[in-house]
Amino acid sequence: MKIAIVGAGAMGSRYGYMLHETGNEVFLIDGWKDHVNNINNQGLIVEENGQIKKVKIPAMLPGDAVEIPDLAILFTKSMGLEAMLKSVKNILGKNTKVLCLLNGLGHNETLEKYVDSKNILMGVTLWTAGLAGPGHVVLSGDGSLEVQNIDPSMEVEAKEICDVLNKAGLKAHYSEDVIFSIWRKACVNGTLNSCCTILDCNIKEFGELKQAPQLIRNIIKEFSDVATKYGVELDVEKVANGIEAIYDPSQAGEHYPSMHQDLIQNHRLTEIDYINGYVSRKGKEFNINTQYNDLFTTMVHAKEQLLVK
Ligand code: NAD
């Protein structure tokens, strides 16, 4: 299958590499010039369990892509999605399936402006990846993903895409309710990412705070109130219990969430507007009280002003 990875940072490089290894015709599209040049000049460096491989996968800047793929997998950061869709719209053919795997909320609304809803697949991924530098991806741990079509008539096509992903070892399964899963994952990011970023601590340290249980429930309650408007029912206690299981060091306790890595460690902008910020915006629209999400959104933006130059 011809597959474009649209946004080939850490996660895009992981998916691109795994799909390339199983014989798909993969090309990487990314706006970071040094990254694209390094991949083309030396190959994508893939580091896994201390082993290093160099893999030849074509890479290009968004404006340079001309071939129409069967599948485009979106892996920009949330705030780069719309600009990326605009700059690659020439390669999104009338039969190109577009799979969105970004974290965050509201991406289906953005996609519908550029892609026929028949071709939109939404997903949630539990794989992880990091970049050690331009052209150098670091892979660790195991993962999986779930995928579902937005248009009910496209189930067969979505299942075919799952098969391609599975052949690459990505452990994809067809989801019966991907929008629910997207909201549930957004609750994890909307609590652990935002709290650990503002408090500058890892997940285990956050979980040990006596304020943590009430704080996460207050945040999740607001997610749940807004989600109801989209027909999604989130059980606050169940979601909170799932998040509390992650505090365990054998899970992800020792990790700093990606928002902490982006902002506190690397001084990059965050996806806050698509997590707590989305709930805050929609709260205003639907006249729902979202005071915790309002405050976290404001605080993360304030921290961005201090750290991102
Ligand atoms: P990323 O930051 O690695 O890449 C996103 C974009 O930023 C790419 O265009 C990349 O080239 C560019 N970029 C990265 N480092 C840069 C630098 N130093 N200078 C200039 N440009 C740079 O993003 P990601 O981690 O692959 O995340 C993509 C999406 O997947 C996000 O929505 C994220 O929340 C989600 N996600 C990430 C992970 C993970 O483990 N990384 C896991 C699950 C979901």
Side-chain angles (χ1 to χ4, degrees):
M1 184 174 266
K2 189 179 281 196
I3 302 174
I5 305 289
V6 180
M11 290 298 283
S13 295
R14 174 192 262 287
Y15 270 67
Y17 160 68
M18 291 177 77
L19 287 159
H20 174 268
E21 290 300 275
T22 42
N24 294 290
E25 196 185 323
V26 174
F27 54 104
L28 307 174
I29 302 176
D30 199 84
W32 185 13
K33 257 192 184 149
D34 291 345
H35 186 55
V36 167
N37 288 342
N38 283 4
I39 295 171
N40 286 328
N41 293 337
Q42 66 190 13
L44 174 69
I45 300 177
V46 181
E47 184 175 338
E48 191 168 20
N49 304 323
Q51 310 265 40
I52 288 197
K53 273 194 204 174
K54 287 185 180 180
V55 188
K56 274 277 167 210
I57 308 178
M60 59 209 71
L61 294 169
D64 296 338
V66 286
E67 286 194 49
I68 294 182
D70 305 306
L71 170 66
I73 302 183
L74 305 178
F75 258 133
T76 61
K77 287 284 198 188
S78 300
M79 49 286 186
L81 178 63
E82 185 145 15
M84 181 60 100
L85 284 170
K86 279 184 191 157
S87 53
V88 298
K89 65 177 190 293
N90 60 311
I91 64 153
L92 302 178
K94 71 176 192 328
N95 294 317
T96 302
K97 301 287 168 290
V98 179
L99 169 59
C100 178
L101 290 175
L102 281 62
N103 279 333
L105 295 166
H107 301 319
N108 46 332
E109 296 159 25
T110 307
L111 251 80
E112 278 171 20
K113 293 197 236 165
Y114 300 91
V115 181
D116 185 342
S117 60
K118 235 173 54 283
N119 288 327
I120 299 177
L121 306 173
M122 297 300 296
V124 174
T125 179
L126 298 180
W127 289 96
T128 58
L131 285 180
H136 183 162
V137 64
V138 182
L139 311 182
S140 61
D142 201 9
S144 62
L145 78 151
E146 53 182 287
V147 172
Q148 193 186 20
N149 40 299
I150 290 300
D151 183 317
S153 71
M154 299 305 278
E155 187 172 329
V156 171
E157 288 81 353
K159 287 182 172 164
E160 281 167 12
I161 300 288
C162 285
D163 288 344
V164 172
L165 296 165
N166 277 326
K167 285 198 183 101
L170 282 157
K171 300 189 193 167
H173 64 269
Y174 183 77
S175 174
E176 295 299 335
D177 193 355
V178 78
I179 299 297
F180 170 81
S181 301
I182 289 170
W183 273 91
R184 188 178 46 194
K185 188 165 188 209
C187 287
V188 178
N189 293 325
T191 49
L192 299 184
N193 276 269
S194 327
C195 293
C196 292
T197 300
I198 289 304
L199 296 167
D200 191 5
C201 62
N202 69 24
I203 293 171
K204 174 174 168 283
E205 289 163 340
F206 173 69
E208 285 166 357
L209 300 176
K210 68 175 190 297
Q211 294 85 355
Q214 196 55 53
L215 183 52
I216 66 165
R217 282 165 179 78
N218 290 337
I219 295 172
I220 300 165
K221 168 77 170 62
E222 296 176 1
F223 269 76
S224 163
D225 290 344
V226 172
T228 307
K229 295 286 178 188
Y230 293 92
V232 176
E233 295 302 324
L234 292 168
D235 178 328
V236 174
E237 200 47 41
K238 246 189 181 163
V239 174
N241 291 338
I243 292 167
E244 286 169 343
I246 306 174
Y247 299 160
D248 190 326
S250 73
Q251 294 288 310
E254 304 293 350
H255 286 260
Y256 287 86
S258 59
M259 189 179 288
H260 185 284
Q261 293 176 33
D262 284 338
L263 182 55
I264 307 297
Q265 300 171 33
N266 295 312
H267 299 185
R268 296 178 67 202
L269 293 174
T270 71
E271 297 183 295
I272 191 77
D273 282 338
Y274 302 86
I275 309 172
N276 308 78
Y278 182 85
V279 170
S280 174
R281 273 197 311 286
K282 294 296 170 181
K284 286 185 186 61
E285 223 174 287
F286 298 129
N287 206 16
I288 293 171
N289 178 7
T290 57
Q291 57 186 337
Y292 282 87
N293 284 283
D294 299 349
L295 182 61
F296 270 98
T297 305
T298 303
M299 293 294 279
V300 170
H301 280 316
K303 196 76 181 163
E304 287 176 337
Q305 267 189 64
L306 289 172
L307 295 181
V308 183
K309 299 293 171 212

